[in-house]
Amino acid sequence: MAYRWLGPLLFSAACACVFGCAAETGLDPRGGSGGESGAGGSGGIGGTAGSGGVAGFGGTGGTGGTPQTLCVTSALCETCPTERLCDTDVDCVTGGTCIESGCATEQGAPIKQCAYAIGGACETTLDCGAGRECIELPGEGQRCVRTAPGCSAESHCFEGFDCENFVCVDRRVPCEFDSDCPKNYVCQDAANDGQQCVRVHQPCDQEIDCAGIAPRCADVDGDGRTECAGVDDPNVPGDACFNADCALADLNAPVCEISGIGAATVCGDYGLCRSDGDCDTGEGFVCVALGLDGRKECAPTGGTCSSSTTCPTQQVCASPRVGGPPSCQAGKEEL
């Protein structure tokens, strides 16, 4: 299933005063005293509402009591974070992981927040996999939330993070438009008013798991697993694109390729595959596992990377939007 790091669930949309955003950013006149004016919040599930009216997961410790300073924003973090601040995982409630928000202090230290790996819809915890609990999330309904430590290859991480050696690694790629993202990625809202590239063909169990990414959940490449899938026109109801249909229509465009606006899909050379035979081998395409969930995709030979594990953080191994062999893609670094 797809697991999203839901920005509205984790961050306030308001650039509030914890990091000196009285107007936008500046010095907090309260200084760094702890206690009631520290950055740690309080409350349980359904606590203080964040953007979109979604509730928080309870307050966290971390930076409470440390001297307040200027908040430096970035393409991934355009609004200073104010809720669920943390220094380590210990500051987060069960199931939370302390990650970098994308904003930093004036001295360059990352400002961190608690994040939660959220899965599919559920009615009770029995509907969730091992290590997950069914929790009511305002604005989302009841969802499976990972409470067990670590992660697995099926993307049991937050949106934009990959599970590498059982640890969630930051693969958030900043963007402003879909055209800033690699092939088969779309530009979606991230936490704190930023935007990041999100891979469309990620695991799912039902279409609600693909909300905001693609309109369908289907077995695109016929390997028995379902993933978020595009259609010919995201604005018009229709069936998902299937490789089998593409291969029958044109052997020179045998796979479902997402490279337009949103999840608009065409039959092309770039897309999910099971073996080299699924790809346009006459044009030098091979089937490679660029992602870390076991899914492969067609890409030209001669790339400078074969997996995101070889790329720096906040980059992914993928074919450029304009086409070509895989390389480490950094998106739009400055907005």
Side-chain angles (χ1 to χ4, degrees), residues 78-125:
E78 297 181 357
T79 299
C80 304
T82 63
E83 296 181 355
R84 287 158 295 283
L85 302 173
C86 59
D87 287 329
T88 68
D89 292 351
V90 175
D91 298 326
C92 304
V93 298
T94 302
T97 300
C98 190
I99 66 172
E100 296 183 9
S101 67
C103 287
T105 67
E106 189 179 25
Q107 292 75 29
I111 297 171
K112 299 181 179 181
Q113 290 184 294
C114 295
Y116 299 83
I118 298 170
C122 58
E123 293 184 2
T124 70
T125 297

Side-chain angles (χ1 to χ4, degrees), residues 10 17 40 43 63 94 118 125 142 213 233 274 276 290 294 303 332:
L10 305 179
C17 61
T63 56
T94 302
I118 298 170
T125 297
Q142 293 185 202
I213 301 173
D233 185 344
R274 295 170 298 175
D276 291 347
L290 300 179
K332 188 166 185 177

Side-chain angles (χ1 to χ4, degrees), residues 108-183:
I111 297 171
K112 299 181 179 181
Q113 290 184 294
C114 295
Y116 299 83
I118 298 170
C122 58
E123 293 184 2
T124 70
T125 297
L126 294 176
D127 298 326
C128 303
R132 293 183 170 272
E133 295 181 14
C134 187
I135 298 176
E136 177 74 26
L137 302 180
E140 290 288 326
Q142 293 185 202
R143 304 297 293 268
C144 293
V145 177
R146 176 167 57 80
T147 54
C151 58
S152 71
E154 276 293 302
S155 299
H156 292 181
C157 287
F158 331 104
E159 190 71 270
F161 285 66
D162 276 347
C163 187
E164 302 175 20
N165 295 321
F166 307 104
V167 175
C168 291
V169 177
D170 190 352
R171 295 295 174 196
R172 290 172 294 176
V173 175
C175 59
E176 187 174 7
F177 305 106
D178 290 336
S179 57
D180 297 325
C181 299
K183 289 280 191 184

Side-chain angles (χ1 to χ4, degrees), residues 256-283:
C256 297
E257 175 183 321
I258 299 170
S259 58
I261 298 175
T265 308
V266 297
C267 293
D269 287 327
Y270 300 82
L272 292 181
C273 56
R274 295 170 298 175
S275 66
D276 291 347
D278 294 334
C279 304
D280 188 357
T281 54
E283 293 296 325

Side-chain angles (χ1 to χ4, degrees), residues 19-76:
F19 284 92
C21 297
E24 291 193 8
T25 58
L27 292 175
D28 190 323
R30 296 176 300 181
S33 61
E36 295 183 352
S37 61
S42 63
I45 295 176
T48 303
S51 60
V54 256
F57 272 91
T60 58
T63 56
T66 59
Q68 304 303 317
T69 184
L70 289 172
C71 170
V72 180
T73 59
S74 71
L76 287 171

Side-chain angles (χ1 to χ4, degrees), residues 208-223:
I208 190 175
D209 299 334
C210 302
I213 301 173
R216 296 287 179 265
C217 177
D219 183 3
V220 175
D221 56 354
D223 67 350

